[in-house]
Amino acid sequence: DAKTTQPPSMDCAEGRAANLPCNHSTISGNEYVYWYRQIHSQGPQYIIHGLKNNETNEMASLIITEDRKSSTLILPHATLRDTAVYYCIGQGNTPLVFGKGTRLSVIA
Amino acid sequence: SAVISQKPSRDICQRGTSLTIQCQVDSQVTMMFWYRQQPGQSLTLIATANQGSEATYESGFVIDKFPISRPNLTFSTLTVSNMSPEDSSIYLCSVPGQGFVYEQYFGPGTRLTVT
């Protein structure tokens, strides 16, 4: 499993893009980058994953650097409901191992 | 996707007692995972439960303290035994997704407070 480093907290204005960085410099070639989030008092929720290419779904975009040592999760238009702890995981198998994550606060 | 329910959703227990947490999944799964989330902390894996075999515990967790049952492919229980205030946590069960590999679905959690 890759060691991941994320800022402990970030703020974002409502309606603006939230860019959450993650460093995973030890990630190996067959390990995916996963992003999950945990809204207060709920179980973690899958957001997106990627291996090499950038990915986009209805929730977010994932930008992975060419050397795969870091990635950025982008929430294009953050809302108050996006306030949560966001976990970046670099792993090639289950069960997932969670780090400390980034606490994102979306401010009105 | 998998829908997971847990019972109870929360409980307050006295030290020295035991609590059994139930996890029900709406589809058959080979593996189920149990996590603990202490107040203000991230999730920590307790054990992996496969149907028909003994659960595999992570370092720092033992069967005597956290016995797990896995009687069929849709159900599991985790018991927190001889509880102390340090066991106050949210306990979550999780299952792998059926789609792409390494996705996991999580239950809503059981919030345990030990007094």
Side-chain angles (χ1 to χ4, degrees):
Chain A
D1 304 345
K3 177 177 168 55
T4 58
T5 304
Q6 299 178 253
S9 64
M10 294 180 63
D11 292 338
C12 177
E14 188 177 22
R16 304 298 293 267
N19 297 279
L20 291 89
C22 178
N23 180 287
H24 35 76
S25 58
T26 63
I27 198 167
S28 63
N30 63 346
E31 291 181 326
Y32 285 79
V33 178
Y34 301 89
W35 284 83
Y36 281 72
R37 74 179 182 184
Q38 187 176 26
I39 296 172
H40 183 61
S41 298
Q42 298 182 21
Q45 174 193 22
Y46 163 81
I47 301 173
I48 199 168
H49 77 286
L51 186 62
K52 296 181 182 179
N53 300 322
N54 298 336
E55 303 288 346
T56 296
N57 63 21
E58 64 278 4
M59 289 183 68
S61 295
L62 173 60
I63 308 298
I64 302 174
T65 59
E66 192 169 344
D67 62 9
R68 301 188 74 235
K69 292 185 177 181
S70 65
S71 62
T72 300
L73 178 75
I74 302 172
L75 308 178
H77 305 287
T79 71
L80 297 178
R81 290 176 294 179
D82 293 321
T83 292
V85 178
Y86 287 77
Y87 297 98
C88 167
I89 301 170
Q91 201 164 323
N93 53 24
T94 53
L96 296 175
V97 176
F98 288 79
K100 297 181 186 293
T102 296
R103 181 173 297 278
L104 175 68
S105 298
V106 180
I107 303 167
Chain B
S1 65
V3 177
I4 304 172
S5 59
Q6 289 186 230
K7 291 181 181 179
S9 59
R10 58 177 62 228
D11 207 341
I12 301 173
C13 302
Q14 291 190 338
R15 69 172 66 208
T17 64
S18 298
L19 176 72
T20 295
I21 301 167
Q22 300 178 6
C23 177
Q24 180 75 52
V25 188
D26 69 342
S27 57
Q28 294 185 338
V29 292
T30 304
M31 289 188 291
M32 295 178 78
F33 311 118
W34 285 99
Y35 289 81
R36 180 177 75 180
Q37 187 169 31
Q38 295 178 299
Q41 303 297 313
S42 184
L43 287 79
T44 301
L45 181 67
I46 298 172
T48 299
N50 290 321
Q51 196 271 334
S53 63
E54 293 283 336
T56 302
Y57 289 83
E58 299 298 306
S59 175
F61 298 95
V62 295
I63 188 172
D64 290 346
K65 176 67 175 177
F66 298 100
I68 290 171
S69 78
R70 185 76 206 277
N72 58 53
L73 291 174
T74 64
F75 187 79
S76 178
T77 66
L78 170 75
T79 298
V80 186
S81 303
N82 189 25
M83 289 183 285
S84 66
E86 292 71 34
D87 294 319
S88 296
S89 299
I90 299 173
Y91 292 85
L92 302 108
C93 69
S94 176
V95 302
Q98 304 286 353
F100 75 89
V101 293
Y102 318 139
E103 181 183 11
Q104 282 182 222
Y105 298 101
F106 288 82
T110 295
R111 183 180 294 273
L112 170 63
T113 302
V114 183
T115 60

